[in-house]
Amino acid sequence: MTLPRGNKRVTHTPVKPCLPLRRTVLVTGGAGFLGSQLCARKLQQGHQVICLDNLQTGRMRNITPLMSHRSFRFIEHDVITPYQLKGPVHQIFNLACPASPPKYQLDPIHTFKTSVMGAMNALELAREKGAKVFQASTSEIYGDPEISPQPEGYRGCVNTFGPRACYDEGKRAAETLFHDYHHRYGVQIAIARIFNTYGPFMDPQDGRVVSNFINQALRGKDITVYGSGGQTRSFCYSGDLLDAIEALMDLNEAAPAPVNLGNPGEFTVLELARKVCTLTGTRSQVVFKDLPQDDPKQRKPDISVARSKLGWQPKVRLEDGLHRTIRHFQAEMAEAGHLTAAAR
Ligand code: NAD
Ligand code: UDP
């Protein structure tokens, strides 16, 4: 198909990428919670991994075990500035962006730039190298949804003028760029709308609900439930999510479209607090704090597209995933001397 005059030729037939067994994979945000686990997986599979991160919310400790690997390279760089890489790049996973509300709200303009300019720079590199590029989108593009569960066809209910907008609108704009680079330049893309994901390698100080509750429980501090705790979230274990991201990236589709990835099990925040208390055996008390502005009331993914396209569904039950995460936090916090005697 040819576009009107002035536009570059577009290929709609999927070009099945002829990928070498040993690929060069770029992970932006590779020092973060999800990115560092993805880097480790790709190294284990025998690929060359370039991790690009500005360490804003990522941590060197997440990638320290990878640094001595001869196929691993770390580049400290902010994705809002274009970057060039020598040699081939076969796959790009664009994960760079703070994901925790208190972190992404610290510098909202930078967060917006990270989403939009970061996406643009990843897409430009993909275009130059002929690489396929993955975008870590989010359930936040649905905002405070009026329907539940949320299917991909739902267009969302986002406040453009609130504290969460820098993230929500930035990620929405990034999806648009991915759509347009695919249709205009034939760049191979994959987009996952990721719902709340937790697991080992989260920063205990990250500010998200799972990390906060486990951190508080292990220190014997109050468990801070915002609002009544009646709002719901669906929590996916990171190992399950990464399986789906890899499967999505390996899919060759004529018309790639965003796919919801998450665990459809839905829990209130108060239920989560009770589970963390039980699993840690803490004596911490639940206390109620103000609900942040625009906090979504419900969130539950419709994952029928992921089920049919990828043959994927999450396997890890919330209790089991929390148990593994608690063990990981315990080890990290004990090392830092941050545990109460009871929690050791
Ligand atoms: P994270 O904060 O642990 O990781 C983000 C990484 O990106 C960090 O290493 C950070 O230093 C890096 N980064 C941030 N801004 C950057 C910039 N301008 N330049 C270079 N590096 C930058 O978060 P995460 O949970 O691992 O999330 C990874 C991606 O997945 C994010 O794009 C996030 O929006 C998306 N996502 C995550 C979830 C979730 O529940 N974990 C849900 C939806 C979407
Ligand atoms: N939350 C809470 N206590 C905390 C942190 C978060 O009650 O210490 C609530 C928050 O208000 C939201 C839910 O937990 O309703 C999930 O928050 P998180 O920051 O993890 O991610 P969100 O899904 O809001 O982006």
Side-chain angles (χ1 to χ4, degrees), residues 140 143-145 164 231-233 294-299:
E140 283 292 312
D144 189 4
R164 298 176 80 100
Q231 68 274 32
T232 66
R233 293 292 185 273
D294 292 341
D295 199 279
K297 288 181 274 309
Q298 56 183 353
R299 204 181 275 150

Side-chain angles (χ1 to χ4, degrees), residues 82-132:
Y83 42 92
Q84 263 148 15
L85 296 172
K86 284 200 185 119
V89 175
H90 303 102
Q91 291 187 327
I92 301 170
F93 290 86
N94 185 39
L95 269 63
C97 188
S100 164
K103 301 282 182 189
Y104 70 62
Q105 288 169 22
L106 270 180
D107 185 347
I109 295 169
H110 189 262
T111 298
F112 192 78
K113 284 184 181 171
T114 294
S115 284
V116 180
M117 293 156 78
M120 177 96 85
N121 291 329
L123 285 159
E124 278 297 327
L125 186 75
R127 191 177 160 206
E128 178 205 326
K129 302 282 186 186
K132 183 165 179 177

Side-chain angles (χ1 to χ4, degrees), residues 13-32:
T13 319
V15 186
K16 193 163 183 173
C18 185
L19 285 172
L21 279 176
R22 192 156 189 266
R23 298 167 212 156
T24 301
V25 175
L26 168 68
V27 182
T28 76

Side-chain angles (χ1 to χ4, degrees), residues 128-145:
E128 178 205 326
K129 302 282 186 186
K132 183 165 179 177
V133 55
F134 167 86
Q135 168 64 2
S137 190
T138 167
S139 53
E140 283 292 312
I141 67 110
Y142 302 123
D144 189 4

Side-chain angles (χ1 to χ4, degrees), residues 101 140 164 196 207-209 212-213 224-226 231 233 269 291-292 295 299:
E140 283 292 312
R164 298 176 80 100
N196 297 64
R208 283 179 267 188
V209 69
N212 270 8
F213 286 180
T224 54
V225 168
Y226 302 159
Q231 68 274 32
R233 293 292 185 273
V269 166
L291 186 69
D295 199 279
R299 204 181 275 150

Side-chain angles (χ1 to χ4, degrees), residues 32-34 53-54 56-58 78-79 95 167 171 197 208:
F33 157 50
L34 293 173
D53 202 298
N54 69 350
Q56 191 179 322
T57 54
D78 191 315
V79 295
L95 269 63
Y167 184 76
K171 291 282 188 178
T197 301
R208 283 179 267 188

Side-chain angles (χ1 to χ4, degrees), residues 30 36 39-40 43 62-70 72-73:
S36 58
C39 288
L43 284 175
N62 285 348
I63 52 168
T64 301
L66 313 181
M67 293 296 270
S68 57
H69 202 297
R70 62 191 166 86
F72 184 74
R73 191 170 143 216

